[in-house]
Amino acid sequence: MYKKLKNFTLNFGPQHPAAHGVLRLILELEGESILRADPHIGLLHRGTEKLIEYKTYLQTLPYLDRLDYVSMMAQEHTYSLTIENLLQYKIPLRAKFIRVLFVELTRILNHLLAITTHALDIGAITPFLWGFEEREKIMEFYERVSGARMHASYIRPGGVSQDLSNGILNDINKFIKQLKFRVFEIEELLTNNRIWKQRLVGVGKIGYIDALNFGFTGVMLRSVGIKWDLRKIINYDCYSLLNYNIPISVEGDCYDRYLLRIEEIYQSIFIIEQCLYYLLNLNILNYFNSINLINQNNYNNSYVNNDLKITPPFRYLLKFNMEALIHHFKLYTEGFNIQTNKIYFATEAPKGEFGIFIYTNGTNKPYRCRLKAPGFFHLQSLDFMCKNHMIADLVTIIGTQDIVFGEIDR
């Protein structure tokens, strides 16, 4: 009588610590080797795209914060740019610098969590404690400009919700100076650590062609040697005025992805330093204004466009100007209409290319809205990347994919 061999099937998550409560994988195992990994999503589903179709263009904004809830302002930024492109709407240069400043702070916020929780999954506790201390400081800056530590709704169509004082700009300047040393400490602890390299080098390796076929973007794509970054390609907001590099590597394994995220933090710090320099030196902004880099109808050095049909009036006007009060009321109750059109716009979010498709029909609500989340494409490659690896390597691969289910299971 012949013996019948059957592979072992195992549920990985959602209760597993590395699955972070929302990821469920059905693993087919031969011993400890993974033959197949089938991701099951649906534990977090909220129907965000359909909800957006029932909200005005301004009411939609808070839903974007709740997609990738680790890099909140990055999605607000994409949405605001999408609406501004639909309206052919210009914003002041000061608003652009403020936006980029906070988007890069958000990129650091994301990468600190990605690197430190990945290290925690593998067994290194210290980077997690160091990194989260720095994340708390960034969240304090969120709170100082918006009143909220996470879901800020700060970047809005037309600019940002309120201006920055020189006090917060100086505090951000002090923060990024000491952040460099903290990131260097994390790097010193991990980068050449023998155990860390044994767990990451050669694990979850993916090639140039496969990365393109799976639709990789962001760090996942740049780790195979493709220099693709929408900040350089589209040059949205004020990125064309800033000097920075796009780090790439060629191995395409977990170790390279870790190194790229570390280097991207340094590049974001460099971008923030330039934004602070411009924002703290109004004469430079006035020079850019004088050479028509921004619309002359806007308030010079304002944080928002002055078209009251789209953006709310300055708050001090509400006490003295009845027309401003009416505009404010109408804007937040009825919103504004956008004529029939359709647009797809994407930006370089911390996890990759985050895109929004909106189909308008002349009303104050989107007729159709679809979201392109980078993590969704990365997750679908998990079966391919995990084949013939051990279960412990699966944890490593999930960590360097930097998956957040808010944007995947929307």
Side-chain angles (χ1 to χ4, degrees):
M1 188 176 177
Y2 295 104
K3 287 185 178 177
K4 190 178 179 184
L5 294 175
K6 190 177 178 183
N7 292 324
F8 189 60
T9 304
L10 181 76
N11 269 309
F12 180 93
Q15 71 282 359
H16 191 286
H20 298 239
V22 283
L23 172 62
R24 182 185 177 215
L25 294 172
I26 311 294
L27 300 181
E28 198 176 306
L29 305 173
E30 190 178 273
E32 271 196 62
S33 294
I34 298 167
L35 299 180
R36 186 166 172 269
D38 183 16
H40 280 229
I41 62 173
L43 300 174
L44 198 67
H45 193 64
R46 292 168 296 188
T48 303
E49 292 163 332
K50 193 52 70 177
L51 282 167
I52 287 171
E53 291 167 13
Y54 287 86
K55 302 291 177 186
T56 68
Y57 292 103
L58 277 181
Q59 289 168 347
T60 291
L61 194 74
Y63 287 99
L64 277 299
D65 282 319
R66 290 155 177 80
L67 290 168
D68 176 1
Y69 38 76
V70 178
S71 46
M72 297 72 67
M73 283 199 199
Q75 282 126 174
E76 294 174 15
H77 190 215
T78 312
Y79 179 72
S80 298
L81 286 165
T82 306
I83 298 301
E84 285 157 12
N85 276 282
L86 273 171
L87 294 166
Q88 294 294 298
Y89 202 55
K90 304 293 182 186
I91 69 166
L93 191 64
R94 181 178 176 82
K96 291 181 179 181
F97 278 116
I98 294 171
R99 280 180 172 187
V100 169
L101 171 70
F102 270 92
V103 167
E104 294 306 319
L105 279 172
T106 303
R107 199 177 307 278
I108 294 170
L109 194 75
N110 179 90
H111 287 350
L112 281 174
L113 183 125
I115 292 163
T116 56
T117 52
H118 178 218
L120 189 68
D121 286 341
I122 286 172
I125 297 172
T126 309
F128 176 80
L129 301 174
W130 288 350
F132 265 66
E133 188 180 341
E134 302 310 308
R135 290 185 85 251
E136 286 296 312
K137 293 169 188 172
I138 296 174
M139 284 184 172
E140 279 180 26
F141 294 132
Y142 264 51
E143 191 172 10
R144 283 171 68 177
V145 296
S146 72
R149 286 165 52 80
M150 285 185 71
H151 305 311
S153 298
Y154 180 62
I155 298 173
R156 301 182 183 184
V160 292
S161 65
Q162 55 188 324
D163 204 1
L164 300 182
S165 66
N166 279 0
I168 189 173
L169 292 173
N170 287 321
D171 287 347
I172 292 171
N173 197 26
K174 287 177 195 169
F175 164 71
I176 60 167
K177 278 180 169 54
Q178 63 88 31
L179 178 66
K180 288 179 190 175
F181 297 105
R182 184 46 60 92
V183 176
F184 180 73
E185 283 179 328
I186 293 171
E187 200 180 356
E188 199 174 32
L189 188 67
L190 292 176
T191 302
N192 291 315
N193 185 297
R194 179 171 53 85
I195 302 167
W196 181 252
K197 289 182 83 170
Q198 283 172 349
R199 291 297 307 274
L200 269 69
V201 174
V203 173
K205 200 163 182 176
I206 195 155
Y208 181 98
I209 300 299
D210 293 317
L212 289 173
N213 288 341
F214 278 113
F216 282 7
T217 52
V219 169
M220 296 289 288
L221 186 64
R222 292 191 283 274
S223 70
V224 299
I226 300 172
K227 203 169 186 177
W228 181 265
D229 190 312
L230 293 179
R231 292 174 295 177
K232 288 279 190 188
I233 293 159
I234 301 176
N235 278 330
Y236 51 89
D237 271 357
C238 64
Y239 279 110
S240 59
L241 304 173
L242 303 171
N243 180 31
Y244 58 97
N245 295 319
I246 303 167
I248 61 166
S249 59
V250 292
E251 293 299 322
D253 61 2
C254 289
Y255 187 66
D256 271 17
R257 292 191 279 276
Y258 153 73
L259 290 175
L260 286 180
R261 287 194 177 98
I262 288 283
E263 183 54 36
E264 283 198 4
I265 292 175
Y266 287 125
Q267 290 300 320
S268 289
I269 290 171
F270 186 42
I271 291 171
I272 289 166
E273 285 173 338
Q274 293 173 74
C275 289
L276 290 170
Y277 179 75
Y278 288 128
L279 289 167
L280 288 167
N281 291 273
L282 293 178
N283 291 335
I284 295 172
L285 283 180
N286 285 327
Y287 166 72
F288 283 131
N289 291 342
S290 67
I291 57 174
N292 292 320
L293 278 177
I294 67 168
N295 189 338
Q296 291 300 310
N297 294 326
N298 295 329
Y299 298 126
N300 281 348
N301 304 324
S302 174
Y303 64 91
V304 71
N305 188 295
N306 62 352
D307 183 350
L308 298 184
K309 297 292 183 187
I310 309 297
T311 53
F314 294 116
R315 290 175 187 177
Y316 70 86
L317 289 174
L318 299 180
K319 290 184 178 179
F320 311 110
N321 189 320
M322 189 63 197
E323 192 178 339
L325 188 64
I326 291 166
H327 273 292
H328 187 278
F329 180 78
K330 295 276 279 182
L331 185 66
Y332 282 107
T333 53
E334 295 176 8
F336 49 84
N337 294 351
I338 300 180
Q339 64 185 15
T340 303
N341 202 348
K342 54 187 172 186
I343 188 172
Y344 172 79
F345 193 85
T347 61
E348 190 67 32
K351 291 176 174 60
E353 183 182 311
F354 179 76
I356 299 178
F357 170 79
I358 290 181
Y359 191 156
T360 62
N361 63 346
T363 64
N364 61 346
K365 299 182 180 84
Y367 177 66
R368 284 287 179 269
C369 178
R370 292 291 178 269
L371 305 167
K372 177 189 181 290
F376 189 81
F377 293 87
H378 302 156
L379 181 67
Q380 74 179 358
S381 70
L382 200 59
D383 179 38
F384 179 83
M385 293 177 77
C386 291
K387 252 187 186 55
N388 301 320
H389 280 298
M390 301 288 190
I391 297 174
D393 295 327
L394 169 65
V395 174
T396 305
I397 293 164
I398 292 170
T400 53
Q401 283 195 346
D402 191 14
I403 288 169
V404 165
F405 259 73
E407 65 172 13
I408 293 167
D409 193 13
R410 54 199 180 279

Coordinates of all heavy atoms in Angstrom, one line a residue, residues 26 157 207:
I26 N -2.9 32.1 4.1 CA -3.0 30.7 4.1 C -1.7 30.1 3.5 O -1.4 30.3 2.3 CB -4.2 30.2 3.2 CG1 -5.5 30.9 3.6 CG2 -4.4 28.7 3.4 CD1 -5.9 30.7 5.0
P157 N -7.3 71.2 -0.8 CA -7.3 71.9 -2.1 C -7.2 73.4 -1.9 O -7.9 74.0 -1.1 CB -8.7 71.5 -2.6 CG -9.0 70.2 -2.0 CD -8.5 70.3 -0.6
G207 N 13.7 40.1 -9.1 CA 14.4 40.6 -10.3 C 13.8 41.8 -10.9 O 12.6 42.2 -10.6

